[in-house]
Amino acid sequence: MILMITGTRTGIGKALAEYFLEAGHDVVGCSRRHATIDHPRYRHHEVDLADLGQTKKMFRSVRQEYGKLDALVNNAGTSSMNHFMTTPEEVSRKIFDINFFAVLNCCREAVKLLRKSTEKSSAILNVSTVAVPWAIEGQLAYSASKSAVEQLVRVMSKELSTFDIRVNGIGLPPVHTVLTRSVPRSKIDTLIARQAISRQCTTDDIVGPVEFLIGRQSEFITGETLFLGGVH
Ligand SMILES: NC(=O)c1ccc[n+]([C@@H]2O[C@H](COP(=O)([O-])OP(=O)(O)OC[C@H]3O[C@@H](n4cnc5c(N)ncnc54)[C@H](OP(=O)(O)O)[C@@H]3O)[C@@H](O)[C@H]2O)c1
């Protein structure tokens, strides 16, 4: 398979890219800064996904090199934890630019290449968060942007079904990454205690469900967001 995974410089995106490379796939990754993966089947694009021009340029280059994509994993994201009363408008807009509009733009550009996939059905997978179902205080813009992504999953799954492109989401509880390093340990522990499986999610817990949701085993699943860890 030829996969595109966004946000592969650090964290979950990097772990996913390394897993799929190890499994023998070609991986196209991106982030604003330089690559942290060095592998013959890995291509890195330095792009700010909040910039549509840069995003289009990256997809043009993918088309020239590979001519198709089999899966897109929209993983790149950002967050800012603050009471909404003290969150400046530009911070909320930046969160939506990256977490929602960049996802929408990547989907639109990727569809042209996913339609050329030789797989029975190609797939888009978007990363969501426990902050949506648990409506976590201090994460208004972040959780609202990911709620929008979950709605995108539902609507887009219908709009792309005629092209045999499936659209799903994966909802994650707290994972130890750059994104969460400033969150107090006590707050993370409180969230973990609410999970049915009350231990911290690791990237090893994520790769299998991602592989399932973009692969042949889930050919009859679309429009769903699957939460890990027992989040209800
Ligand atoms: N960690 C958690 O507990 C958790 C829980 C639930 C959901 N999630 C979701 O999981 C996803 C990955 O998060 P993570 O925890 O792995 O965070 P992370 O370590 O901060 O990784 C985010 C990645 O996205 C890239 N990125 C950020 N803004 C970008 C932009 N404008 N354009 C291009 N690339 C950009 C970053 O690279 P550059 O800095 O080089 O751009 C980085 O590679 C996010 O969607 C997040 O919301 C995380």
Side-chain angles (χ1 to χ4, degrees):
M1 281 208 299
I2 300 170
L3 285 100
M4 175 179 277
I5 303 170
T6 65
T8 44
R9 189 179 62 81
T10 55
I12 296 160
K14 183 178 184 191
L16 287 172
E18 287 174 337
Y19 176 81
F20 286 105
L21 287 165
E22 184 69 24
H25 303 291
D26 287 72
V27 177
V28 181
C30 67
S31 70
R32 288 163 300 180
R33 283 173 270 178
H34 58 83
T36 53
I37 300 172
D38 181 16
H39 190 286
R41 277 182 281 100
Y42 179 72
R43 293 287 179 283
H44 191 85
H45 295 264
E46 285 183 31
V47 295
D48 183 348
L49 293 170
D51 182 317
L52 179 58
Q54 290 184 35
T55 304
K56 284 186 168 185
K57 194 170 161 218
M58 170 176 72
F59 278 94
R60 268 199 302 276
S61 156
V62 175
R63 190 186 66 215
Q64 278 158 10
E65 182 165 13
Y66 300 98
K68 67 157 192 169
L69 276 177
D70 298 309
L72 165 70
V73 180
N74 283 309
N75 162 80
T78 190
S79 76
S80 165
M81 286 196 58
N82 224 334
H83 194 285
F84 87 95
M85 292 292 284
T86 52
T87 305
E89 183 186 337
E90 61 263 32
V91 172
S92 300
R93 284 190 184 275
K94 190 174 168 223
I95 290 172
F96 266 80
D97 278 346
I98 298 161
N99 291 1
F100 179 72
F101 288 105
V103 170
L104 188 58
N105 290 337
C106 283
C107 289
R108 196 188 307 103
E109 294 306 309
V111 163
K112 300 164 197 170
L113 297 172
L114 290 166
R115 289 182 70 178
K116 300 200 186 305
S117 170
T118 46
E119 298 289 317
K120 195 169 160 208
S121 71
S122 51
I124 294 173
L125 184 66
N126 300 308
V127 180
S128 189
T129 165
V130 70
V132 174
W134 287 351
I136 297 170
E137 61 269 44
Q139 300 195 2
L140 194 156
Y142 177 62
S143 62
S145 69
K146 294 289 190 175
S147 287
V149 167
E150 290 187 27
Q151 185 66 356
L152 173 156
V153 164
R154 288 186 281 268
V155 176
M156 206 179 272
S157 68
K158 294 178 183 170
E159 295 191 352
L160 293 182
S161 65
T162 48
F163 302 130
D164 290 325
I165 300 172
R166 300 178 299 108
V167 187
N168 288 298
I170 185 163
L172 304 179
V175 185
H176 185 67
T177 66
V178 176
L179 199 75
T180 49
R181 70 180 167 195
S182 59
V183 182
R185 188 68 231 176
S186 58
K187 182 140 195 168
I188 300 272
D189 288 342
T190 305
L191 294 175
I192 292 170
R194 285 183 68 178
Q195 297 166 204
I197 304 173
S198 52
R199 65 163 174 80
Q200 183 147 26
C201 179
T202 68
T203 52
D204 285 348
D205 298 313
I206 300 169
V207 289
V210 168
E211 188 170 33
F212 169 71
L213 286 169
I214 64 171
R216 288 179 191 160
Q217 297 290 327
S218 63
E219 268 173 2
F220 203 54
I221 300 176
T222 195
E224 300 293 337
T225 295
L226 173 70
F227 274 84
L228 305 189
V231 168
H232 298 288

